[in-house]
Amino acid sequence: MTTTDHLSTDPDVPSAPTGRRIGVMLPRDLPPHEVLHFARQADALGFHELWVIEDLGFRGGVAQAAAVLAATSRLTVGIGIAPAAARHAAFAAMEIATLGQLFPGRIIAGLGHGMPAWMRSLGLWPASPLTLLEETATAVRSVLRGEAVPQGRYVTLEHEEFTELPDVVPPVLLGVRGPRSLALSGRIADGTLLAEPAPPTYIRAARSHISATGPHQLITYDVAAVSNDSGQALEAVRPGLAYIGEPDWAPHLVDLDFADDLAALRARCDSPHEFARQLPLTWVDALSLAGTPEGIRAKIAARHDAGATSVVLTPVGENRLSQLEQLAQVQ
């Protein structure tokens, strides 16, 4: 079988879109009866991508991706992200290859370390997270391309066992934060996924660490709300920024002129939720895609100008289906 990297020559198969894309996040806690309706609405409203997440205790990424791919006809669906330690590379490759066969050109696979606290609670945090991620991503990409898999410290498998491969090879992205992990992504992956918040300063800093020498997708997440009253929209996303003061989020604040003040505010607050309540609206504005449709379009353009190939909007609050229609105004 001859595989094609990312793009298909078959006119009936959708190619993975490139350039300035706009996606939307499928909320992890959306009621089950709303999940497929949300996906169909995102498809009908013209979003380029729909991203599903795999947070511990909620829903599996591969299962969600398969369901929404089957329920839609046009959307590219991204898995952002599957922790490398949660599945052996062989089984991760099988799942991704299956989705690639069934839905050619419509799946993007995201891999990452996973949240350290969650992975430690499961006894899955490796002695060398960077090595495990590199070996897993390399093995998955090799299997999808029908290539030999380098034998490593954590990953051992024979590629000859894999015969069910997709004609359109799904891109494999790394969802990472730290400088060494970003550099790894630039070296071995088809792209990088940056979690929220992803202001232009963070995008530019991340790109400097990624330093990819070839084509490299850069997907960014941000909490989002649209209203003709920009203050109302900013208040709506405030709870979605509750955890940006925690240590793991420090890379997102690089080069922001209020980064030190933000850290000081978090130190004074007893909880992430109190911290979110006290965030000045100017900071909320800088760290979200909230505001009027015109204002959000300008923020999206700034992220694209900084290097994002796809900007993903994360709806917040109670009625996410209604918000989806409002978010579609920014396209």
Side-chain angles (χ1 to χ4, degrees), residues 98-135:
T98 300
L99 293 175
Q101 285 184 312
L102 297 176
F103 307 99
R106 295 183 57 207
I107 183 69
I108 301 174
L111 300 173
H113 299 299
M115 293 298 292
W118 291 347
M119 305 312 289
R120 288 191 178 100
S121 74
L122 299 173
L124 293 176
W125 191 248
S128 178
L130 202 63
T131 300
L132 174 62
L133 182 57
E134 177 173 3
E135 292 182 3

Side-chain angles (χ1 to χ4, degrees), residues 267-289:
R268 295 194 301 270
C269 294
D270 292 334
S271 69
H273 302 292
E274 180 187 350
F275 165 77
R277 287 194 296 271
Q278 294 195 28
L279 282 172
L281 281 183
T282 54
W283 299 2
V284 175
D285 186 36
L287 296 170
S288 71
L289 291 173

Side-chain angles (χ1 to χ4, degrees), residues 73-221:
S73 60
R74 182 192 54 81
L75 279 170
T76 295
V77 176
I79 301 173
I81 58 161
R87 295 181 186 84
H88 190 280
F91 291 94
M94 288 167 57
E95 298 276 22
I96 297 164
T98 300
L99 293 175
Q101 285 184 312
L102 297 176
F103 307 99
R106 295 183 57 207
I107 183 69
I108 301 174
L111 300 173
H113 299 299
M115 293 298 292
W118 291 347
M119 305 312 289
R120 288 191 178 100
S121 74
L122 299 173
L124 293 176
W125 191 248
S128 178
L130 202 63
T131 300
L132 174 62
L133 182 57
E134 177 173 3
E135 292 182 3
T136 300
T138 299
V140 169
R141 292 182 79 249
S142 297
V143 167
L144 293 174
R145 287 162 174 76
E147 300 170 353
V149 178
Q151 303 304 298
R153 172 180 175 183
Y154 293 103
V155 177
T156 302
L157 60 94
E158 298 295 334
H159 77 288
E160 290 86 355
E161 299 169 354
F162 297 89
T163 58
E164 294 291 321
L165 300 178
D167 291 321
V168 183
V169 179
V172 176
L173 279 58
L174 298 189
V176 289
R177 283 194 176 100
R180 293 173 62 204
S181 297
L182 289 168
L184 173 67
S185 183
R187 181 164 56 85
I188 71 165
D190 301 306
T192 303
L193 193 155
L194 301 179
E196 70 285 350
T201 47
Y202 178 42
I203 296 170
R204 287 190 287 267
R207 286 183 63 207
S208 71
H209 293 300
I210 293 168
S211 296
T213 57
H216 193 87
Q217 298 187 50
L218 188 59
I219 315 297
T220 63
Y221 290 171

